[in-house]
């Protein structure tokens, strides 16, 4: 049998070992689809990559075995709780707040804009895109690099002849220092198009930054109005409870004097219990709306800022302003429309950049080299961002200056495909701009209609509240004097509570609708914040 070449056998073993290394990482994944993952942790408690913890796996296996021997296996027998990382247990401190100060809406908005993570993220995104524009502009400048290399070469040769054996050994060493310059002089507008695309992208990022602030202002405003409506519901439900107490007192007095019945007292007691339940529910809704306001601001839920009472705003009357006039004055300043316009310009610039790749490019290349010892090198390869350096002299000193032209001839259709993609993107960007305008008109019209409806509902709720108050006063007074029924008094009391809640809700809805129209028209400065709206 032919003996296996040792080198070939070593290569086979090495390949098998490398293949095993690739699949051995499977032990980093969970062992079974129906068993919990038992991660490894370091001394600080952080989860680290690697196979499952041996002790945790052993304990899990033992627990599974014990569970299987005593009772049918259930999900509850396994622990799917991850280990706690102590480094993540520290909660960021809430922003410094004046505990004795009651914050009004403008102050809450200022706090949100400075503390909300979304505004900082948008700011960093805008800065990164601005830096990308600077990177694009750097293509106009030459690229200069310096390289220093040491070389060592060894050579051994042996020969056998009839005269005997002979061998020779030679070595060489030295160092090469190179300074290289590469400069693109002219490219038929390719760099200018890329700079234009990057600059328009910066405009888009800045518009997005402004849009984030507008959205934060809107979210905080609406959450503030909702919280104030929840506050008003507590007041109305407390008044409803007081009215229920008054009706109960009247029912008990009538029963004591032999005029009323035990059923009237029972109905009054039931009404008081319902009023107390409504108060508890209103208090819960107030707590939830307060947390929603804190969340809209983007500050820690542990923050406990005092919220000032909202001043009474004089709602505007229902107007018949032409929607065309509103749209024409607002559509051009909406962030989404402005961003779509900038995106169209970005893609048009990319088309020009793709077209420039079909044109020649004029470049300047220069280098200087210094060799020591017996070394000689003809080229320095590219390393990282350093460009390759060619045409070096083998002598001690060397250098060259080259002005050349590169003309692309054939690339298998790559440039044509890239140009077609750029044109398709430009066409899509133009379509998105048209679509964004249409969507802006739809949102403005919807916001205007919502505001008009909310104002009409607020006016109707005012009339309903006045009528319900009169009805309740009359029904309660009649019952108290023995000429009315408890049913009429209880019905009037519940209708009065509903009318007060409707008034508070419609008022808050009107303010929210005004804020929505301000956001839709790209003018959040008109959101009602103080009593000068």
């Amino acid at each position: 049998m032919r003996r296996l070449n040792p080198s070939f056998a070593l290569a086979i073993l090495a390949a098998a070992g490398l293949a095993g290394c690739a699949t051995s990482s499977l032990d980093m994944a969970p062992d079974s689809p129906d068993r919990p993952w038992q991660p490894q942790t370091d001394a600080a408690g952080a989860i680290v990559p690697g196979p499952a913890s041996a002790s945790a796996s052993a304990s899990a296996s033992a627990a599974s075995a014990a569970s299987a021997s005593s009772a049918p296996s259930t999900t509850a027998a396994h622990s799917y709780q991850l280990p706690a990382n102590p480094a993540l247990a520290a909660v960021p401190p809430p922003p410094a707040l004046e505990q004795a100060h009651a914050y009004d809406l403008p102050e809450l908005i200022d706090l949100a804009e400075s503390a909300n993570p979304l505004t900082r993220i948008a700011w960093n995104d805008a800065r990164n895109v601005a830096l990308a524009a600077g990177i694009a502009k750097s293509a106009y400048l030459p690229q200069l690099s310096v390289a220093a290399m040491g070389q060592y070469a060894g050579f051994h040769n042996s020969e056998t002849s009839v005269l005997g054996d002979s061998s020779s050994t030679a070595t060489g060493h030295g160092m090469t220092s190179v300074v290289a310059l590469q400069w693109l002089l002219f490219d038929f507008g390719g760099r200018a198009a890329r700079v234009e695309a990057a600059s328009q992208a910066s405009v888009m990022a800045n518009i997005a930054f402004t849009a984030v602030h507008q959205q934060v202002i809107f979210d905080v405003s609406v959450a503030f109005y909702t919280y104030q409506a929840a506050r008003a519901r507590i007041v109305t439900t407390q008044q409803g409870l007081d009215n229920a107490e008054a009706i109960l007192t009247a029912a008990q007095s009538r029963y004591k004097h032999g005029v009323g019945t035990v059923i009237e007292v029972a109905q009054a007691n039931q009404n008081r219990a319902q009023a107390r339940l409504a108060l508890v529910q209103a208090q819960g809704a107030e707590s939830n709306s307060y947390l929603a306001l804190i969340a809209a601001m983007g500050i820690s839920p542990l923050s406990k800022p005092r919220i000032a009472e909202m001043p009474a705003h004089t709602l505007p009357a229902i107007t018949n302003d032409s929607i065309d006039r509103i749209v024409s004055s607002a559509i051009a300043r909406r962030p989404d429309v402005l961003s779509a316009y900038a995106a169209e310009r970005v893609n048009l610039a990319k088309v020009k950049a793709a077209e420039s790749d079909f044109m020649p490019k004029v470049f300047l290349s220069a280098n200087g080299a210094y060799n020591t010892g017996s070394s000689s090198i003809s080229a320095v390869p590219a390393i990282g961002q350093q460009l390759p350096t060619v045409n070096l002299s083998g002598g001690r000193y060397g250098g060259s200056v080259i002005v050349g032209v590169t003309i692309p001839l054939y690339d298998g259709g790559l440039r044509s495909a890239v140009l077609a993609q750029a044109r398709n993107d430009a066409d899509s960007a133009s379509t998105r701009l048209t679509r964004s305008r249409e969507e802006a008109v739809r949102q403005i019209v919807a916001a205007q209609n919502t505001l008009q409806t909310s104002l009409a509902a607020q006016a109707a709720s005012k009339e309903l509240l006045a009528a319900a108050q009169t009805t309740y006063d009359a029904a309660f007074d009649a019952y108290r004097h023995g000429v009315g029924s408890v049913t009429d008094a209880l019905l009037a009391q519940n209708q009065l509570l509903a009318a007060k809640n409707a008034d508070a809700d419609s008022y808050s809805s009107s303010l929210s609708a005004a804020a929505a129209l301000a956001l839709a028209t790209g003018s959040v400065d008109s959101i009602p914040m103080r009593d000068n709206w």
Side-chain angles (χ1 to χ4, degrees):
M1 181 179 291
R2 183 177 180 182
R3 185 177 180 183
L4 186 64
N5 189 322
S7 300
F8 183 69
L10 182 60
I12 293 178
L13 292 176
L18 292 175
C21 290
T23 58
S24 64
S25 296
L26 281 174
D27 59 3
M28 299 174 64
D31 297 332
S32 172
D34 59 347
R35 293 291 185 271
W37 174 52
Q38 304 294 337
Q40 290 191 31
T41 57
D42 57 16
I47 297 176
V48 296
S53 173
S55 59
S57 298
S59 61
S61 300
S64 299
S67 174
S69 62
S70 60
S73 176
T74 60
T75 303
H78 310 302
S79 174
Y80 287 91
Q81 178 173 308
L82 293 173
N85 186 346
L88 302 178
V91 179
L97 301 174
E98 299 180 24
Q99 298 300 325
H101 177 69
Y103 290 83
D104 59 11
L105 180 55
E107 292 173 327
L108 294 175
I109 291 176
D110 290 340
L111 182 60
E113 289 185 297
S114 61
N116 197 311
L118 295 178
T119 58
R120 177 165 290 274
I121 292 173
W123 180 60
N124 287 329
D125 291 343
R127 287 166 58 86
N128 284 336
V129 178
L131 291 173
I135 294 173
K137 293 178 182 178
S138 68
Y140 283 96
L141 302 176
Q143 298 185 33
L144 185 66
S145 61
V146 178
M149 296 164 291
Q151 307 101 34
Y152 177 84
F155 174 79
H156 177 77
N157 183 42
S158 60
E159 296 180 355
T160 301
S161 65
V162 295
L163 300 178
D165 298 336
S166 64
S167 62
S168 62
T169 302
T171 61
H173 62 84
M175 178 176 290
T176 301
S177 301
V178 180
V179 177
L181 180 143
Q182 302 285 343
W183 196 355
L184 179 62
L185 300 179
F186 185 70
D187 63 349
F188 287 91
R191 289 172 298 182
R194 294 181 181 89
V195 169
E196 172 66 15
S199 300
Q200 290 297 328
S202 178
V203 172
M204 292 177 59
N206 294 338
I207 293 173
F209 170 78
T210 304
V212 167
H213 276 270
Q214 290 186 0
Q215 189 66 45
V216 167
I217 294 172
F218 170 77
D219 292 342
V220 174
S221 299
V222 172
F224 179 80
Y225 301 146
T226 303
Y227 173 68
Q228 297 294 344
R231 269 185 169 178
R233 275 181 170 267
I234 291 181
V235 175
T236 58
T237 52
Q238 181 62 58
Q239 292 174 349
L241 180 58
D242 295 340
N243 294 339
E245 293 281 1
I247 294 175
L248 177 60
T249 301
Q252 290 173 341
S253 176
R254 284 168 54 88
Y255 178 72
K256 182 179 179 180
H257 292 84
V259 179
T261 64
V262 68
I263 297 178
E264 292 181 354
V265 176
Q267 288 177 330
N269 268 311
Q270 178 184 354
N271 183 66
R272 182 184 61 176
Q274 290 176 340
R276 184 176 290 112
L277 175 60
L279 177 59
V280 172
Q281 292 174 336
Q283 290 171 342
E286 188 267 348
S287 298
N288 292 336
S289 61
Y290 179 83
L291 290 177
L293 174 58
I294 298 301
M297 294 173 61
I299 61 178
S300 172
L302 301 180
S303 303
K304 301 295 182 182
R306 292 182 56 193
I307 309 300
E309 295 286 345
M310 182 173 60
H313 295 279
T314 302
L315 298 179
I318 299 177
T319 61
N320 295 319
D321 289 346
S322 172
I323 192 63
D324 295 335
R325 186 185 62 81
I326 297 176
V327 169
S328 61
S329 62
I331 190 173
R333 62 169 174 262
R334 277 180 56 110
D336 55 345
V337 176
L338 293 173
S339 181
Y341 175 72
E344 181 185 44
R345 298 189 64 181
V346 167
N347 286 279
L348 290 176
K350 288 182 178 180
V351 171
K352 293 181 180 179
E355 291 173 344
S356 71
D357 289 337
F358 288 84
M359 307 301 293
K361 293 177 176 57
V362 181
F363 67 91
L364 170 67
S365 177
N367 63 70
Y370 175 72
N371 293 322
T372 63
S374 57
S375 65
S376 178
I377 187 171
S378 59
V380 179
I383 302 174
Q385 294 183 347
Q386 173 188 313
L387 297 174
T389 303
V390 297
N391 196 33
L392 299 179
S393 171
R396 183 172 294 273
Y397 297 96
S400 63
V401 177
I402 301 173
V403 177
V405 178
T406 62
I407 303 176
L409 298 178
Y410 179 75
D411 59 0
L414 174 62
R415 289 168 297 162
S416 298
V418 172
L419 178 59
Q421 287 180 331
R423 287 173 175 170
N424 291 337
D425 291 340
D427 181 70
S428 297
S430 298
T431 305
R432 290 191 187 97
L433 175 58
T434 302
R435 176 61 180 151
S436 66
R437 288 175 174 173
E438 295 174 351
E439 181 64 17
V441 173
R442 187 196 66 79
Q443 292 180 4
I444 294 173
V445 171
Q448 175 70 3
N449 291 339
T450 302
L451 177 58
Q452 300 287 50
T453 303
S454 299
L455 293 175
Q458 170 63 14
S461 67
K462 288 291 185 184
E463 297 179 1
L464 175 62
L465 177 58
Q469 185 68 55
T470 301
T471 302
Y472 169 74
D473 292 339
F476 177 64
D477 187 65
Y479 175 67
R480 187 172 53 183
H481 290 86
V483 294
S485 67
V486 69
T487 303
D488 293 338
L490 295 178
L491 179 61
Q493 186 263 327
N494 290 328
Q495 289 177 341
L496 176 60
L497 175 61
K500 288 182 177 180
N501 288 336
D503 179 64
D505 291 343
S506 62
Y507 178 69
S508 174
S509 297
S510 298
L511 295 177
S512 298
L517 180 59
L519 180 68
T521 56
S523 179
V524 293
D525 293 339
S526 61
I527 289 180
M529 295 186 184
R530 294 188 173 92
D531 55 358
N532 56 353
W533 186 44

